């Protein structure tokens, strides 16, 4: 900035109306600014792109023939991160609102007065300062979290990205990234063009196994420190995939989402399902990892786990704000879990879920405060980063929880009904909750409704769609909302996967919807039991060898929990309120060394260990119980139903039901995007 | 002297009759040595561009089926520059036109637009006279603010 700032501040003025443009030019000159004018938005963009450092501020009319002013606003904000002031003759509140929500730092009415223009320099100063601070905060947070997780390395890239804050890239960002991102940003902008403005930020990408694999491959190829979204995007070469999606996968958009750490959790998860080496397919997820901390090797994702670069699903860009939003994200997230895995996820949530798990684990580690379930810790990051089914230890769970639940939103929710994914092989009842990808964040009540069962559990990878997990309505403290949807518990939407359970699937019923409410107390009480049960259910579901939950708890759970509430659908067990995962998760019919499966922990968290995005790792039950209150375990919904049924049928009741507000607490089940 | 008085009178009358509003003063304020004929230039620019916009509206009014959204949009553009030069009466007619668009009242739009055109023509005539006077008047007189 020049010494005489605001004198000489460089303004780019855009207005298709020559009269207005001339007037504006003279007004700005009178303010002693340096003015460049153009009557075309495309020209303006070109000028800006040529050298974004040439201007300090952009003033643009809203109504232009070649490009909508709001669009220009967005592009400028995204690409150049310059303050943009909108000008319009339309002073209606909704028009002004639109400007502001699109990122305008001010909205002036025509005819514009010189007094107003004399003050516009403030926006430049404000943005500079704010950006710096914001970025620093994000960065620090990210760094801290990552370091805690032992993934500092990974955080470098993401920190940088995170440092950008969700707002825009700052000039500080290195050129490379900027350049890389520009195109992507454009793509995003394009992509969003057709979308409803309110949902613009939601990526519609479903993070499938395939995508995940590509993502991982790209990251590995690039190397952690070079793995910037743009490059990854290029390598992945997926149509319609945006940089934002990729960035989200990193969790960068959501600094709190630590993401990488989660991967570790995954490995645990994976290990949980030791027996089967079925995890194979999931290159990137290691569901088992989540389950079993002691068996990190299981992590099926080559190179993934350590790096923790699991894309948590495509978290939407702005998922941060609202846990519910996260749910939405979850919906998009598909977690495909291999059946064999048995782990909660019934296999490996190949997609983000696993990552989630991992992440959640990490997050958990990093974030011990899981006070209301989730702290804002990265994983949970506001944006529900990916809910993942994370049955791993506590840390994971909490992580996932945090992940899933935005501290603000999730925390308040008690356990999330987490439908345990019961992959009963024979069950055709599980219907993938595919229908509900469009998770309506705001309407948590959808959870129950949205929960669609997953069918084909058998031998089908479980794809858990985050949304389904979240499904819908958040549960308030264990109360759990009624899962309207009979089949889907929690989130039927979320889980899309087919849980294949070789063995009798146990349905972990997390967060039994609805009916939990009344059973809050019971739940708490039963939490412990449930946790076990759930856990086992969870475990059981996936595969014969995996997750076998200690029969006792299960039985107990079964009895107590399986009420067969109709309203709950399969899952509606109020009893299950607490964390979904039973504390003990037995793999291969053996109690896990970890003490119960991390599920326990997770159960506490009420995370979804189940099938999909549930992370429960070794939390101890007590903790679990207490944490259940808030959080929710989110359960792979789709499978819930069938699982649920299975659970009922099972002797052991693995039902783990996490009652709670699923909505927000959804966890890392894969980011649902 | 005479010019100056005439100018003053004319300007006052333009304001009194509502042809111009405060915004016109703002334009005059911007006129300085750097832009000595700024007001006249801007006004000229306005009249030229507004013809184009009004022609578009005329065409849109003839189209079937009626596209009120487009009509409203076109008028919105016109209104922007109208208000920028302070053409009050014309601006008011533009507002009425937009209201008719909201009501999807095509006849109302047509009537209203006729008024818009009339106001446009009237203002143009008056301002042309005004600027003529202004040119004839000396620099001292030009510098005089309205309300002389």
């Amino acid at each position: 900035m020049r010494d005489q700032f605001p004198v000489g501040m460089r303004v780019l003025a855009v207005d298709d109306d020559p009269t207005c443009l001339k007037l504006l030019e003279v007004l700005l000159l009178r303010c002693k600014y340096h003015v460049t004018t153009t009557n075309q938005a495309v020209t303006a963009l070109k000028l800006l792109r040529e050298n974004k450092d040439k201007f300090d501020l952009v003033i643009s009319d809203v109504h232009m023939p070649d490009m909508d002013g709001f669009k220009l606003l967005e592009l400028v904000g995204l690409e150049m991160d310059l303050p943009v002031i909108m000008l319009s003759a339309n002073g209606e509140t909704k028009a002004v609102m639109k400007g502001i929500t699109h990122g305008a730092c001010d909205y002036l009415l025509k005819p514009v007065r010189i007094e107003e223009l004399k003050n516009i320099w403030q926006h430049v100063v404000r943005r500079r300062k704010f950006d710096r601070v914001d970025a620093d905060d994000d960065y620090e947070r990210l760094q801290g979290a990552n370091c805690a997780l032992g993934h500092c390395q990974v955080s470098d890239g993401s920190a940088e990205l995170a440092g950008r804050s969700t707002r825009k890239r700052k000039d500080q960002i290195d050129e490379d990234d900027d350049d890389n991102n520009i195109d992507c940003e454009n793509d995003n902008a394009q992509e969003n063009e057709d979308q409803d403005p309110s949902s613009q930020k939601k990526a519609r990408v479903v993070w499938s196994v395939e995508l995940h694999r590509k993502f991982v491959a790209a990251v590995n190829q690039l190397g952690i420190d070079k793995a910037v979204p743009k490059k990854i995007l290029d390598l992945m070469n997926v149509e319609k995939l945006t940089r934002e999606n990729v960035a989200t996968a990193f969790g960068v958009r959501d600094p709190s989402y630590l993401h990488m750490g989660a991967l570790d959790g995954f490995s645990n998860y994976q290990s949980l399902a030791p027996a089967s080496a079925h995890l194979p397919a999931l290159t990137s997820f290691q569901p088992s990892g989540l389950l079993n901390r002691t068996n990190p090797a299981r992590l099926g994702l080559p190179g993934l786990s350590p790096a923790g670069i699991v894309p948590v699903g495509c978290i939407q860009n702005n998922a941060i704000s609202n846990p519910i939003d996260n749910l939405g994200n979850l919906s998009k997230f598909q977690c495909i879990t291999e059946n064999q895995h048995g782990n909660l996820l019934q296999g490996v949530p190949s997609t983000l879920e696993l990552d989630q798990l991992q992440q959640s684990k990490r997050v958990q580690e990093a974030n011990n405060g899981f006070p209301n379930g989730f702290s804002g810790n990265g994983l949970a990051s506001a944006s529900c980063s990916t809910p993942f089914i994370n049955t791993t230890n506590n840390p994971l769970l909490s992580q996932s929880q945090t992940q899933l639940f935005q501290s603000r939103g999730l925390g308040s929710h008690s356990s999330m009904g987490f439908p345990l994914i019961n992959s009963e092989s024979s069950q055709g009842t599980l219907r993938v909750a595919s229908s509900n990808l469009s998770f309506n964040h705001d309407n948590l009540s959808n959870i129950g409704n949205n929960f669609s069962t997953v069918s084909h559990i058998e031998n089908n990878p479980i794809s858990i769609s985050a949304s389904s997990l979240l499904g819908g309505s958040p549960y308030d403290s264990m109360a759990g909302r009624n899962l309207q949807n009979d089949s889907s518990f929690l989130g039927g939407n979320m889980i899309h996967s087919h849980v294949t359970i070789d063995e009798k699937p146990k349905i972990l019923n997390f967060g039994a919807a609805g009916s939990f409410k009344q059973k809050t107390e019971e739940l708490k009480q039963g939490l412990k039991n449930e946790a076990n049960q759930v856990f086992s259910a969870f475990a059981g579901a996936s595969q014969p060898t995996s997750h076998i939950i200690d029969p006792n708890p299960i039985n107990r759970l079964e009895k107590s929990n399986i009420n067969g509430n109709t309203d709950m659908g399969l899952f509606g067990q109020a009893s299950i309120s607490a964390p979904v995962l039973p504390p003990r998760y037995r793999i291969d019919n053996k109690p896990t060394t970890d003490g119960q499966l991390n599920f326990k922990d997770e159960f506490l968290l009420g995370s979804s260990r189940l099938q999909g995005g549930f992370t429960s790792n070794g939390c101890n039950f007590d903790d679990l119980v207490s944490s259940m209150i808030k959080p929710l375990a989110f359960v792979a919904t789709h499978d819930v139903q069938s699982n649920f049924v299975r659970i009922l049928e099972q002797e052991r009741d693995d039902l783990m039901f996490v009652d709670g507000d699923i909505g927000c607490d959804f966890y890392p089940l894969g980011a649902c995007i | 002297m005479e010019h100056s008085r005439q100018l003053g009178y004319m300007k006052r009358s333009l304001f009194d009759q509502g042809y111009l509003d405060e915004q016109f003063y703002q334009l005059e304020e911007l006129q300085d040595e750097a832009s000595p004929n700024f007001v006249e230039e801007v006004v000229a620019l306005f009249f030229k561009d507004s013809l184009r916009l009004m022609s578009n509206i005329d065409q849109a009014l003839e189209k079937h089926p009626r596209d009120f959204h487009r009509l409203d949009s076109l008028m919105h553009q016109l209104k922007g520059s109208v208000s920028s030069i302070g053409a009050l009466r014309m601006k008011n007619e533009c507002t009425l036109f937009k209201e008719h668009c909201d009501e999807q009242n095509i006849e109302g739009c047509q009537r209203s637009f006729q008024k818009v055109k009339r106001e446009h023509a009237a203002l143009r005539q008056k301002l042309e006279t005004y600027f003529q006077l202004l040119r004839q008047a000396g620099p001292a007189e030009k510098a005089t603010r309205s309300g002389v």
Side-chain angles (χ1 to χ4, degrees), chain A residues 169-440:
Chain A
R169 268 190 308 225
K170 299 173 28 183
D171 296 339
Q172 283 90 314
I173 297 215
D174 65 20
E175 286 307 313
D176 188 40
D177 279 350
D178 278 340
D179 294 340
N180 286 341
N181 290 325
I182 284 185
D183 292 341
C184 289
E185 296 295 357
N186 283 339
D187 292 342
N188 284 340
Q190 307 279 332
E191 212 179 47
N192 289 334
E193 239 175 86
D194 308 327
Q195 294 177 9
D196 173 74
S198 63
S199 63
Q200 251 177 0
K201 302 218 181 144
K202 302 192 176 83
R204 301 280 177 218
V205 176
V206 168
W207 199 256
S208 65
V209 182
E210 196 47 47
L211 275 181
H212 183 73
R213 226 174 292 158
K214 283 187 175 176
F215 179 97
V216 175
V219 170
N220 286 336
Q221 188 177 330
L222 291 166
I224 299 268
D225 45 352
K226 288 236 174 327
V228 290
K230 166 70 176 179
K231 287 186 177 141
I232 293 174
L233 196 70
D234 289 346
L235 281 177
M236 283 175 75
N237 193 25
V238 173
E239 195 189 3
K240 299 256 189 237
L241 190 67
T242 66
R243 191 189 69 81
E244 293 302 319
N245 296 143
V246 175
T248 303
F250 266 100
V252 293
R253 286 263 163 201
D254 190 352
S256 58
Y257 182 83
L258 279 178
H259 15 306
M260 318 292 189
L263 282 182
D264 291 343
F266 248 11
S267 35
N268 287 343
Y269 182 86
Q270 188 172 27
S271 53
L272 271 183
S276 20
H278 298 319
L279 200 56
L282 286 174
T283 48
S284 49
F285 283 91
Q286 295 138 21
S288 60
L290 287 175
L291 295 177
N292 185 347
R293 260 191 308 222
T294 58
N295 194 356
R298 281 276 329 250
L299 225 31
L301 302 170
L304 192 62
S305 110
I309 302 195
V310 176
V312 182
C314 306
I315 304 262
Q316 296 181 355
N317 301 344
N318 54 1
I320 312 226
S321 53
N322 184 347
I324 305 289
D325 285 349
N326 291 338
L327 285 179
N329 289 339
L330 288 176
S331 57
K332 309 243 179 83
F333 178 81
Q334 264 188 349
C335 185
I336 302 203
T337 56
E338 294 269 5
N339 192 4
Q340 274 102 23
H341 254 311
N343 285 329
L344 296 179
L345 289 186
Q346 291 305 324
V348 179
S350 54
T351 51
L352 296 177
E353 284 182 352
L354 286 179
D355 293 334
Q356 292 291 345
L357 285 175
Q358 297 276 7
Q359 294 181 345
S360 64
K361 174 169 174 232
R362 292 243 173 267
V363 172
Q364 173 128 26
E365 286 165 2
N367 168 30
N368 293 315
F370 178 48
N372 299 302
F374 294 95
S375 58
N377 194 347
L379 283 182
S381 71
S383 40
C384 224
S385 42
T386 46
F388 52 89
I389 297 178
N390 188 333
T391 56
T392 51
N393 47 46
N394 234 348
L396 195 53
L397 185 60
S398 56
Q399 281 182 348
S400 55
Q401 289 205 323
T402 32
Q403 266 184 343
L404 289 178
F405 295 93
Q406 186 135 349
S407 48
R408 79 174 203 192
L410 298 177
S412 57
H413 296 292
S414 55
S415 59
M416 173 151 48
F418 193 96
L420 182 56
I421 298 188
N422 182 347
S423 51
E424 171 79 347
S425 54
S426 60
Q427 282 340 298
T429 57
L430 283 182
R431 285 191 307 245
V432 177
S434 47
S435 53
N436 252 331
L437 282 185
S438 54
F439 180 77
N440 177 356

Side-chain angles (χ1 to χ4, degrees), chain A residues 521-532:
Chain A
E521 288 318 306
E522 273 180 40
L523 286 177
K524 284 189 199 173
Q525 177 68 65
L527 203 63
K528 295 191 180 172
N529 296 338
E530 310 261 50
N532 290 333

Side-chain angles (χ1 to χ4, degrees), chain A residues 602-622:
Chain A
E602 295 182 329
F603 273 112
L604 283 182
L605 290 182
S607 57
S608 44
R609 297 257 198 120
L610 283 181
Q611 276 193 316
F614 201 74
T615 49
S616 52
N617 265 327
C619 359
N620 57 60
F621 227 175
D622 289 337

Side-chain angles (χ1 to χ4, degrees), chain B residues 5 9 11 16 42 48 55 59 79 81 95 99 104:
Chain B
R5 199 144 52 82
Y9 176 79
K11 198 192 240 173
D16 291 346
V42 171
K48 185 169 144 225
S55 164
Q59 284 171 25
K79 192 177 167 188
S81 49
T95 304
E99 284 173 15
Q104 310 232 329

Side-chain angles (χ1 to χ4, degrees), chain B residues 80-147:
Chain B
S81 49
V82 166
S83 55
S84 294
I85 65 152
L88 182 60
R89 281 166 73 135
M90 194 175 164
K91 183 174 77 171
N92 291 340
E93 293 302 334
C94 289
T95 304
L96 286 174
F97 179 94
K98 289 187 97 191
E99 284 173 15
H100 289 304
C101 278
D102 289 344
E103 296 158 9
Q104 310 232 329
N105 176 357
I106 191 63
E107 281 160 11
C109 285
Q110 283 162 338
R111 275 197 310 270
S112 202
F113 190 59
Q114 292 307 310
K115 290 193 191 145
V116 169
K117 287 196 275 191
R118 276 205 295 273
E119 289 299 332
H120 180 271
L123 182 65
R124 183 184 204 166
Q125 194 190 25
K126 290 188 189 297
L127 285 177
E128 274 176 3
T129 309
Y130 175 79
F131 285 116
Q132 234 169 10
L133 270 177
L134 208 52
R135 261 178 264 125
Q136 286 163 11
E141 286 164 331
K142 276 187 187 171
T144 309
R145 219 182 173 276
S146 68

Side-chain angles (χ1 to χ4, degrees), chain A residues 16-20 22-23 26-27 30 61 63 65 88-90 110-115, chain B residues 23 26-27 29-32 38 41-42 45-46 49 53 73 76-77 80-81 83-85:
Chain A
D16 66 307
D17 186 299
T19 311
C20 297
K22 175 98 178 133
L23 176 57
V26 173
L27 283 167
R30 182 56 72 90
D61 183 35
H63 211 105
S88 177
N90 182 358
K110 286 184 183 177
V112 67
R113 303 288 289 266
I114 196 163
E115 294 80 16
Chain B
Q23 180 62 20
Q26 298 289 321
L27 295 182
E29 289 284 310
L30 290 174
Q31 189 157 293
D32 56 12
F38 173 69
E41 283 164 13
V42 171
L45 200 51
F46 165 74
D49 194 57
L53 291 171
S73 174
H76 182 82
Q77 291 179 46
S81 49
S83 55
S84 294
I85 65 152

